[in-house]
Amino acid sequence: MVRITDKQPSVLRSLDWWTVAIYIALLIFGWVSVCGASYTYGDTDIFSLSTRSGMQIVWIGTSLFLGLVLLLLDDRFYDTFSYVIYGILLLLLFLTIFNPHEIKGSRSWLVLGPLRLQPAEFAKFATALAIAKLMGSYGFNIHRWKDFAAACGVVLLPMLFIVAQKETGSALVYLSFFLMFYREGMPGSILFTGVAMIVYFVVGIKFESVSLLHTPTSLGVFIVILLIQTFSSVMVNVYCRNKKLMYYMLGGSFGGTLLALLFSLYVLPFNIVWVQLIITAVIIVYLLVEWLRTRFSNYFFILAFTIGSIAFFYSADYVLNNVLEPHQRVRINVLLGLDDDLSGAGYNVHQSEIAIGSGGLQGKGFLNGTQTKLKFVPEQDTDFIFCTVGEEEGFLGSAGVLLLFLLLILRLIHLAERQPFAFGRIYGYCVLSIFLFHVFINVGMVLGLTPVIGIPLPFFSYGGSSLWGFTLLLFIFLRIDAGRNLVRMD
């Protein structure tokens, strides 16, 4: 039941106006950037609906109206209808798979006359609501594998539907929910395992063809297996408090590998990886024996980590060459420096870097960018819009935009931490994680630091779907936060 105090604060009074101010500032700077990116020499009216800058004003206006509507709804509406909203969006995602309209190789868009909508953008807030409802329910414990698996299922199901739409970039955004899981108590080992897999993939692929000191040994494979042995050894000390075993494992790994290297260099050249694999097999057997002897489950998890790491690494090359699409494979090779391809997959990033670099400290000024005005950068008003900021506003303008996003992230952390109920806190961290992922990956891919996966920069990239999707995410949380002072009693 809900007990209402004598004086309940109104929504506008309880609303976090600092976050609203940051939102408005991002919308303004976003429109200026869209205008600069889409402007063509000779245009006389940047406010015309026939231009992208004019249409973006429409999307901004409708987003503000949408935000107002979201604030007028009772905050309990989002909690009560979380699963219903999630179910509707899942159905929409599933139906979109069979969409006959294919745009740029993707079936993720629904075409309704002149209007194009991307359900994947709206599924983010629906998934955030559903996961907050599930994890905020009585008795949920993230440390129970059954509960954690259910939470992962809520996140992975829309991911599968989006991948089936050939929209891998949008699907990867859902991995950001694991940051929220970590905040809510997910073991750090799971997050570490994900990071370790990325390290294995990057190091293994990048240095696969490099020879170790002129021996028949791949430097990439050598480093990765040594990392697996080191990680497993350190985890024995961290999670099993067995420092002695850690020293044995590290000594055996590095000592055996060093002897094999010296033998290969000065006696008989051979592939040292075979010795490393034998040492790893011994470690696996020893971990298995320790688990069976002590029945301490942490030994089993480290054992699974070691075996899984080896399996993942040796399957990575197969996935890269046989599972990924050719354009995705080329993008990864370009990112890792294995292939320049400045006229193909690397063209976007190369031109974007030129545009950002040409802006200098203060930029060339509004509508004065040359790379963007002459349309050298593809998708410069959507996925690569940050290069327009760098060219026209320079380093100072780019730093200002990133500072605004940082302020938004810090504000969201503050709002999430002050929520009196798990539902609001979990939803807030979902919103925070999604924004953080989008900003980090989008800016990173424009600078050539992360793979080009085609996701928008919040409030900057042109388009109604992304702008509405981010507005839904943010304003639902603002409405939940505005109702935090309502005293609820069971």
Side-chain angles (χ1 to χ4, degrees):
M1 124 186 164
V2 178
R3 177 171 62 83
I4 304 188
T5 58
D6 293 337
K7 246 186 168 180
Q8 284 296 319
S10 66
V11 172
L12 295 182
R13 181 180 265 178
S14 300
L15 188 63
D16 186 71
W17 289 100
W18 284 108
T19 305
V20 175
I22 296 172
Y23 169 77
I24 297 296
L26 288 170
L27 287 181
I28 293 172
F29 283 119
W31 179 82
V32 170
S33 300
V34 169
C35 187
S38 59
Y39 178 78
T40 303
Y41 289 120
D43 283 349
T44 56
D45 188 3
I46 60 176
F47 299 102
S48 171
L49 295 182
S50 62
T51 64
R52 289 207 159 188
S53 57
M55 278 303 300
Q56 189 70 358
I57 293 178
V58 175
W59 302 134
I60 290 173
T62 52
S63 295
L64 292 172
F65 177 75
L66 176 61
L68 178 61
V69 171
L70 294 171
L71 293 177
L72 292 177
L73 292 174
D74 191 297
D75 63 298
R76 290 167 293 180
F77 171 85
Y78 305 111
D79 189 343
T80 305
F81 293 98
S82 295
Y83 291 145
V84 175
I85 297 171
Y86 178 72
I88 292 172
L89 264 298
L90 273 185
L91 178 61
L92 196 57
L93 285 175
F94 179 74
L95 294 176
T96 307
I97 297 174
F98 308 100
N99 171 31
H101 301 282
E102 188 169 306
I103 300 174
K104 297 180 181 179
S106 170
R107 293 180 179 272
S108 62
W109 295 88
L110 290 179
V111 181
L112 307 172
L115 186 65
R116 296 191 307 181
L117 295 175
Q118 192 174 23
E121 292 295 331
F122 304 108
K124 295 171 190 173
F125 90 89
T127 304
L129 285 174
I131 203 72
K133 177 73 171 180
L134 173 66
M135 295 180 64
S137 60
Y138 178 77
F140 181 91
N141 187 346
I142 198 169
H143 297 288
R144 280 203 301 261
W145 282 103
K146 181 180 179 181
D147 290 349
F148 182 59
C152 290
V154 172
V155 173
L156 295 177
L157 194 55
M159 277 188 69
L160 294 175
F161 289 161
I162 295 171
V163 168
Q165 298 170 8
K166 301 180 181 178
E167 190 63 35
T168 309
S170 296
L172 291 176
V173 174
Y174 287 76
L175 295 177
S176 63
F177 284 102
F178 282 86
L179 294 176
M180 178 275 298
F181 287 152
Y182 180 67
R183 162 60 183 83
E184 293 300 315
M186 181 186 76
S189 56
I190 296 178
L191 199 61
F192 172 76
T193 300
V195 174
M197 297 302 175
I198 296 174
V199 172
Y200 300 155
F201 183 83
V202 172
V203 173
I205 298 299
K206 185 174 179 62
F207 299 104
E208 181 182 17
S209 303
V210 180
S211 175
L212 173 65
L213 299 176
H214 305 292
T215 64
T217 305
S218 165
L219 179 61
V221 180
F222 175 85
I223 293 175
V224 169
I225 295 181
L226 206 57
L227 284 174
I228 293 172
Q229 294 169 346
T230 303
F231 291 159
S232 300
S233 302
V234 174
M235 289 171 74
V236 165
N237 181 42
V238 173
Y239 296 107
C240 301
R241 303 298 180 189
N242 194 336
K243 188 174 291 186
K244 186 177 180 179
L245 178 57
M246 178 190 73
Y247 287 143
Y248 283 149
M249 291 171 63
L250 287 175
S253 299
F254 282 89
T257 302
L258 179 60
L259 289 176
L261 177 60
L262 293 175
F263 188 87
S264 181
L265 284 173
Y266 299 108
V267 181
L268 179 66
F270 75 103
N271 191 347
I272 304 169
V273 170
W274 290 109
V275 174
Q276 289 184 298
L277 289 175
I278 293 173
I279 295 173
T280 305
V282 172
I283 290 174
I284 290 172
V285 171
Y286 202 92
L287 289 171
L288 178 62
V289 171
E290 282 297 300
W291 172 56
L292 293 175
R293 184 178 68 84
T294 63
R295 294 296 177 180
F296 189 26
S297 60
N298 284 359
Y299 282 114
F300 173 78
F301 294 134
I302 298 172
L303 172 67
F305 170 84
T306 308
I307 296 175
S309 294
I310 292 292
F312 171 83
F313 173 64
Y314 277 99
S315 65
D317 186 67
Y318 175 81
V319 171
L320 180 66
N321 294 302
N322 299 279
V323 176
L324 295 182
E325 297 292 334
H327 69 278
Q328 295 171 328
R329 191 159 56 244
V330 172
R331 285 177 179 176
I332 291 175
N333 288 335
V334 169
L335 178 69
L336 297 180
L338 301 176
D339 188 3
D340 291 332
D341 195 21
L342 298 183
S343 61
Y347 178 80
N348 291 26
V349 175
H350 182 62
Q351 294 298 327
S352 175
E353 292 172 340
I354 292 175
I356 291 175
S358 67
L361 180 65
Q362 298 180 334
K364 297 178 179 178
F366 182 55
L367 302 182
N368 289 325
T370 52
Q371 291 291 116
T372 50
K373 297 304 156 294
L374 296 175
K375 312 300 182 187
F376 280 110
V377 186
E379 313 296 340
Q380 63 187 25
D381 54 2
T382 51
D383 299 341
F384 282 82
I385 195 165
F386 191 72
C387 73
T388 304
V389 179
E391 185 178 34
E392 295 191 348
E393 310 303 328
F395 174 80
L396 295 178
S398 301
V401 168
L402 293 178
L403 180 61
L404 271 177
F405 278 116
L406 176 61
L407 291 175
L408 177 63
I409 296 298
L410 293 176
R411 196 65 196 169
L412 289 175
I413 293 175
H414 172 71
L415 298 186
E417 287 296 334
R418 75 181 184 186
Q419 297 306 305
F421 306 106
F423 176 82
R425 184 186 69 249
I426 293 168
Y427 180 80
Y429 272 100
C430 288
V431 175
L432 158 69
S433 300
I434 292 171
F435 277 115
L436 188 62
F437 187 92
H438 269 273
V439 173
F440 179 80
I441 296 298
N442 182 276
V443 174
M445 73 183 192
V446 169
L447 296 176
L449 302 176
T450 58
V452 178
I453 61 174
I455 61 174
L457 183 63
F459 312 121
F460 274 71
S461 296
Y462 171 81
S465 291
S466 66
L467 190 52
W468 291 349
F470 290 125
T471 298
L472 281 162
L473 273 167
L474 184 61
F475 275 80
I476 288 176
F477 182 44
L478 288 176
R479 181 61 188 91
I480 293 172
D481 177 69
R484 69 189 181 280
N485 292 322
L486 185 65
V487 180
R488 302 180 192 280
M489 301 179 63
D490 294 329

